[in-house]
């Protein structure tokens, strides 16, 4: 007995969809841009908008675009968007986020959505009794459909997981990836390692194994993901000390992470790096982006830390002031354009 015509049609459509997914898709340009901070600000959580935190202004975002940038990494706080776990998003905060995403993408830039929570919701670690993995998955199950199918919206699972071992963070990466894919969203997803996902800590010993050992276990049902890596250049790699006196060590760490990505078939994005306004930092920043630009097969791009309307005299700011461009941005501006063919069709962004 034959199948009914609607079933046959549905099967044919499903097969066509699968075949289309199997076809090579041209990659986008490599991503080069900045973090636009503000929505993650404030020790008072959730706090008051306009007093404790803000979102980047249209003027700031347009400035970044005017510099040739094509990506904005957008930090925000999970607790502001979803104050109560497993509950609907706060509609006012959601509108602030969606409006900002629209401004960024309307300017022709990609946005990396970055819940800047360090593996916590309020003060409780993801995977704990108070914040079970199911609640972390619920957050992503609600967020992912909002921009599903958008190549210009990348989901970062979590910013800088800290005070948690890699073996305990791996299930959170995988829970988020599974939840995102369950919604049908095929966006590129970034996952993170622990110890602030720093390149210099990728091989550092941890109970249960280093990031380099444990993060081989990341599973994405669509295999369309990469790793968010950070690397500062100062004495303790925190971005809080004036001198960029660890440039050589940082470069070696980035090269070692590159080799790990190559060996494991992965790709990466340098989500944070930066330095003070001083010559050793300018030289270090230029070396970092020059190296990343030379490996578009592994590094899909980078975003310097950081622009933002409320920085004031913050020493790592690239927000322009009354004197014009900040010197850190001037130091790397020549590395922003995507001019070579391999930069215009970034292999690290290809669907696999």
């Amino acid at each position: 007995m034959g199948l009914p015509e609607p079933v046959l049609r549905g099967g044919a459509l499903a097969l066509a969809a699968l075949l289309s997914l199997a076809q090579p898709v041209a990659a986008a340009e490599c991503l080069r841009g900045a973090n636009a901070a503000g929505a993650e600000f404030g020790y008072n959580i959730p706090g008051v908008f306009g007093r404790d935190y803000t979102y980047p202004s249209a003027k700031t975002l347009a400035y970044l675009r005017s510099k040739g940038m094509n990506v904005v990494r957008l930090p925000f706080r999970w607790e502001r968007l979803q104050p109560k776990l497993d509950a609907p998003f706060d509609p006012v905060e959601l509108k602030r986020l969606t409006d900002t995403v629209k401004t960024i993408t309307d300017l022709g830039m990609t946005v990396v959505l970055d819940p800047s929570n360090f593996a916590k919701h309020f003060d409780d670690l993801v995977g704990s009794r108070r914040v079970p993995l199911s609640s972390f998955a619920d957050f992503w199950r609600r967020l992912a459909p909002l921009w599903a199918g958008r190549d210009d919206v990348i989901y970062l699972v979590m910013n800088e997981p800290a005070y948690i071992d890699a073996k305990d963070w791996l299930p959170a990466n995988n829970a988020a990836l599974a939840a995102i894919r369950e919604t049908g969203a095929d966006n590129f997803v970034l996952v993170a390692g622990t110890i602030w996902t720093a390149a210099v800590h990728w091989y550092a010993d941890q109970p249960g194994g280093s990031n380099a050992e444990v993060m081989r276990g990341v599973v994405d049902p669509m295999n369309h993901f990469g790793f968010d890596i950070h690397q500062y250049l100062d004495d303790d790699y925190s971005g809080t000390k004036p001198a960029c006196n660890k440039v050589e060590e940082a470069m070696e760490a980035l090269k070692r992470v590159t080799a790990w990505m190559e060996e494991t078939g992965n790709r990466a994005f340098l989500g944070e790096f930066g330095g003070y306004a001083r010559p050793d930092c300018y030289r270090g920043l230029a070396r970092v982006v020059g190296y990343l630009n030379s490996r578009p097969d592994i590094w899909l791009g980078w975003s310097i830390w950081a622009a933002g309307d409320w920085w004031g005299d913050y020493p790592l700011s690239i927000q322009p002031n009354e004197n014009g461009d900040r010197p850190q941005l001037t130091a790397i501006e020549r590395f922003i354009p995507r001019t070579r063919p391999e930069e215009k069709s970034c292999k690290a962004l290809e669907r696999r």
Side-chain angles (χ1 to χ4, degrees):
M1 180 177 171
L3 291 171
E5 184 180 350
V7 175
L8 287 170
R9 273 206 309 270
L13 288 171
L15 178 59
L18 287 171
L19 289 172
S20 67
L21 287 174
Q23 300 304 311
V25 179
E29 290 191 353
C30 289
L31 301 174
R32 297 170 187 171
N35 289 264
E40 84 284 20
F41 280 11
Y43 296 104
N44 181 22
I45 304 294
V48 177
F49 178 73
R51 185 183 72 190
D52 298 302
Y53 70 103
T54 189
Y55 278 79
S57 67
K59 182 178 179 181
T60 286
L61 298 171
Y63 168 77
L64 299 177
R65 185 57 173 157
S66 75
K67 294 299 175 181
M69 294 184 176
N70 65 347
V71 66
V72 170
R73 188 171 180 267
L74 181 64
F76 64 95
R77 288 301 291 259
W78 177 8
E79 302 95 332
R80 289 177 173 141
L81 188 58
Q82 192 182 36
K84 183 180 179 182
L85 294 173
D86 304 302
F89 291 158
D90 178 89
V92 176
E93 191 67 19
L94 179 59
K95 187 175 189 305
R96 292 184 185 119
L97 180 63
T98 55
D99 286 351
T100 305
V101 170
K102 186 176 190 304
T103 301
I104 294 168
T105 56
D106 282 354
L107 284 165
M109 294 191 287
T110 294
V111 60
V112 177
L113 289 177
D114 167 25
S116 192
N117 278 77
F118 311 97
K120 291 184 177 181
H121 185 271
F122 288 103
D123 294 324
D124 298 305
L125 280 170
V126 172
S128 67
R129 182 178 61 83
R130 290 182 179 272
V131 188
L133 291 181
S134 59
S135 294
F136 188 47
D138 172 83
F139 167 73
W140 276 109
R141 203 172 284 113
R142 294 175 190 273
L143 191 66
L146 301 180
W147 294 279
R150 293 278 297 270
D151 289 336
D152 56 356
V153 179
I154 291 173
Y155 296 140
L156 169 58
V157 164
M158 175 63 65
N159 178 68
E160 291 191 342
Y163 311 110
I164 185 171
D165 295 329
K167 68 176 175 57
D168 297 320
W169 182 246
L170 175 63
N173 274 335
N174 287 340
L177 281 165
I180 291 167
R181 301 314 186 198
E182 284 169 13
T183 71
D186 64 350
N187 307 57
F188 196 91
V189 178
L190 290 167
V191 297
T194 56
I195 324 180
W196 294 277
T197 200
V200 292
H201 299 314
W202 201 249
Y203 283 86
D205 290 337
Q206 299 183 54
S210 66
N211 284 320
E213 296 169 294
V214 173
M215 293 305 157
R216 293 171 181 265
V218 172
V219 176
D220 177 7
M222 290 187 178
N223 195 30
H224 194 46
F225 77 100
F227 286 87
D228 184 54
I229 302 293
H230 296 182
Q231 188 55 61
Y232 290 94
L233 310 175
D234 55 335
D235 189 55
D236 61 359
Y237 310 110
S238 66
T240 61
K241 309 294 191 303
C244 290
N245 58 347
K246 289 293 184 74
V247 174
E248 294 301 329
E249 293 86 345
M251 291 301 303
E252 285 305 310
L254 287 170
K255 291 174 183 177
R256 197 175 184 195
V257 166
T258 301
W260 184 88
M261 298 291 166
E262 197 165 28
E263 176 203 342
T264 58
N266 285 301
R267 46 262 179 97
F269 178 76
L270 191 67
E272 288 187 26
F273 66 102
Y276 278 56
R278 42 183 290 156
D280 57 339
C281 292
Y282 309 152
R283 292 190 293 269
L285 295 173
R287 285 188 64 187
V288 167
V289 295
Y291 173 69
L292 300 179
N293 287 3
S294 75
R295 293 302 305 266
D297 56 324
I298 298 295
W299 293 92
L300 52 118
W302 46 262
S303 56
I304 192 170
W305 185 266
D309 298 81
W310 282 11
W311 277 132
D313 60 359
Y314 173 60
L316 271 67
S317 173
I318 63 159
Q319 186 77 8
N321 57 21
E322 63 277 4
N323 298 317
D325 294 347
R326 297 290 180 108
Q328 295 96 319
L329 182 57
T330 301
I332 65 167
E333 191 167 1
R334 70 184 188 277
F335 296 96
I336 297 173
R338 286 78 57 197
T339 56
R340 297 177 299 153
E342 56 267 37
E343 297 169 328
K344 289 180 173 291
S345 185
C346 198
K347 186 176 180 180
L349 276 167
E350 288 178 354
R351 292 183 182 272
R352 299 178 179 177

